[in-house]
Amino acid sequence: MGVKRIYLAGPEVFLDDAVEMGRRKKDLCRAYGFVGLYPFDNEVVPASPSDRLDRLIFSANASMIAEADLAIVNLTPFRGPSADVGSVFELGMAFGQGKPVFGYSNVVEVYLDRVSASGPVTEDRKGVHRDGFGMSIENFGNADNLMIDGCLAAQGRFLVRNAVPVAARFRDLDGFETCLRAASEFYAAGTVSERFRA
Amino acid sequence: MGVKRIYLAGPEVFLDDAVEMGRRKKDLCRAYGFVGLYPFDNEVVPASPSDRLDRLIFSANASMIAEADLAIVNLTPFRGPSADVGSVFELGMAFGQGKPVFGYSNVVEVYLDRVSASGPVTEDRKGVHRDGFGMSIENFGNADNLMIDGCLAAQGRFLVRNAVPVAARFRDLDGFETCLRAASEFYAAGTVSERFRA
């Protein structure tokens, strides 16, 4: 089987202690028998002045996702009612490539409540909530857009939500560890069925 | 070759005239020789009371993406400085499956400017801009997170940006039509090289 490699997606790459956050996540991966792949693992150095740093980071991350066996994605709301779009892109990419995906959020409120808190919301005669642009707001009790919760549900999982104080919102790793445990159980179950294969 | 099918991703599914928007997009696809696949094409009817509508919509969309040859994604900022996360998930999924992806936004400002407009931003001694959580804000001149602009650039494309009045932000299809033209040229070029293949 070999040791499984986990792509570690999340907005913590924007923290001033992003490298230390990666170290903490990778240490936890190791404790659960995994290897963590973190965006900052790659030292991205432009080879020529015309090389764009952002394009090199994109390629490095996309290659890491392709190489990973699974992904754990930090889906904590970021700069608005939804998760970081960079992390969501990576979730979609990993899911599209058929890899097991796991997700957590350090905010527990449902999506509708967060949108309602961020601006004027009306309710039409059919009970549909609408934002300032008249656009409907999903009301399924999900943490975020139905594609996000849905891709986890399609794999028999759910988005892990923990109530974390605002000050620790992007550094708390309890939800991450819950995902690690779930991943560990997922592969342990897989091992059992592989054991009985011809 | 056959007619190429385009998955039509975007937050217009949340408009009260979402079905009409889909019709307009599909008509334009037809005018350029494509077939458009739009989320509302599927009549999603729960077979039993325990079926969750959101999960059925997820499955229908994910199947359509898998079946499509390419995707055109509306990446107009939605409920915050970034694109709709549902559309971004679908962009990532299509890209992860190796399909050509095209994207447009009806807002021209760069990401840093939009984040700056939405809350307090500071600049540290190294010139790095940071939000209220102290998290760095990308400053690459991109329309959105580097994974979004980057996946288009990796395929030799760019995110089409048009200045559209706020009232028309989620209904204007000029950027969509620019993507259709680009897709049309992409496949026309492909046909030429196929023609000279052994």
Side-chain angles (χ1 to χ4, degrees), chain A residues 2 7 9 16-17 37 45 52 73 77 79 83 87 92 97 100 108 111 118 133 148 152-153 155 160 168 178 184:
Chain A
Y7 183 74
D16 54 3
D17 55 345
L37 306 177
V45 182
R52 283 184 57 160
V73 187
R79 293 177 189 159
S87 305
Q97 294 179 345
V108 286
Y111 181 69
S118 69
F133 278 96
I148 295 180
L152 298 167
Q155 293 188 349
V160 174
T178 303
S184 192

Side-chain angles (χ1 to χ4, degrees), chain B residues 26 66-67 112:
Chain B
K26 292 172 73 168
E67 171 191 325
L112 175 60

Side-chain angles (χ1 to χ4, degrees), chain A residues 23-24 26 39 50 57 73 80 86 89 91 96 105 107 133 143 147-149 152 165 167 178 194:
Chain A
R23 197 157 20 223
R24 285 177 57 202
K26 293 171 71 169
S50 64
I57 297 171
V73 187
F89 176 88
L91 175 70
S105 171
V107 169
F133 278 96
M147 296 305 291
I148 295 180
D149 293 68
L152 298 167
T178 303
E194 276 171 25

Side-chain angles (χ1 to χ4, degrees), chain B residues 54-113:
Chain B
D54 55 336
R55 305 304 190 222
L56 295 174
I57 298 172
F58 170 84
S59 296
N61 291 356
S63 301
M64 253 197 230
I65 294 165
E67 171 191 325
D69 298 293
L70 67 154
I72 298 183
V73 187
N74 179 354
L75 294 164
T76 303
F78 180 72
R79 295 180 187 157
S82 282
D84 163 45
V85 287
S87 304
V88 171
F89 176 88
E90 295 172 339
L91 175 70
M93 200 181 145
F95 181 84
Q97 294 179 345
K99 301 178 197 284
V101 289
F102 299 79
Y104 68 97
S105 171
N106 287 343
V107 169
V108 287
E109 284 76 22
V110 299
Y111 181 69
L112 175 60
D113 290 348

Side-chain angles (χ1 to χ4, degrees), chain A residues 11-16 52-55 57-58 61-62 65 78-97 111 115 130-131 133-138 140-142 144-151 153-154 166-167 169-171, chain B residues 11-16 52-55 57-58 61-62 65 78-97 111 115 130-131 133-138 140-142 144-151 153-154 166-167 169-171:
Chain A
E12 57 271 8
V13 294
F14 301 117
L15 289 168
D16 54 3
R52 283 184 57 160
L53 181 61
D54 55 335
R55 304 305 190 221
I57 297 171
F58 170 84
N61 291 356
I65 293 165
F78 180 71
R79 293 177 189 159
S82 282
D84 163 46
V85 286
S87 305
V88 171
F89 176 88
E90 296 173 339
L91 175 70
M93 199 180 147
F95 181 83
Q97 294 179 345
Y111 181 69
V115 177
R130 298 194 175 273
D131 67 12
F133 278 96
M135 298 172 92
S136 65
I137 307 166
E138 291 182 18
F140 296 110
N142 286 327
D144 210 321
N145 181 287
L146 67 82
M147 296 305 291
I148 295 180
D149 293 68
C151 81
V166 174
R169 182 170 293 174
F170 294 104
R171 289 188 175 85
Chain B
E12 56 272 7
V13 294
F14 302 116
L15 289 167
D16 53 4
R52 283 185 56 162
L53 182 61
D54 55 336
R55 305 304 190 222
I57 298 172
F58 170 84
N61 291 356
I65 294 165
F78 180 72
R79 295 180 187 157
S82 282
D84 163 45
V85 287
S87 304
V88 171
F89 176 88
E90 295 172 339
L91 175 70
M93 200 181 145
F95 181 84
Q97 294 179 345
Y111 181 69
V115 176
R130 296 193 177 275
D131 67 13
F133 278 97
M135 298 172 92
S136 65
I137 306 166
E138 290 183 19
F140 296 110
N142 286 328
D144 210 320
N145 181 286
L146 67 81
M147 296 306 291
I148 294 179
D149 293 68
C151 81
V166 174
R169 182 170 293 174
F170 294 104
R171 288 188 176 84

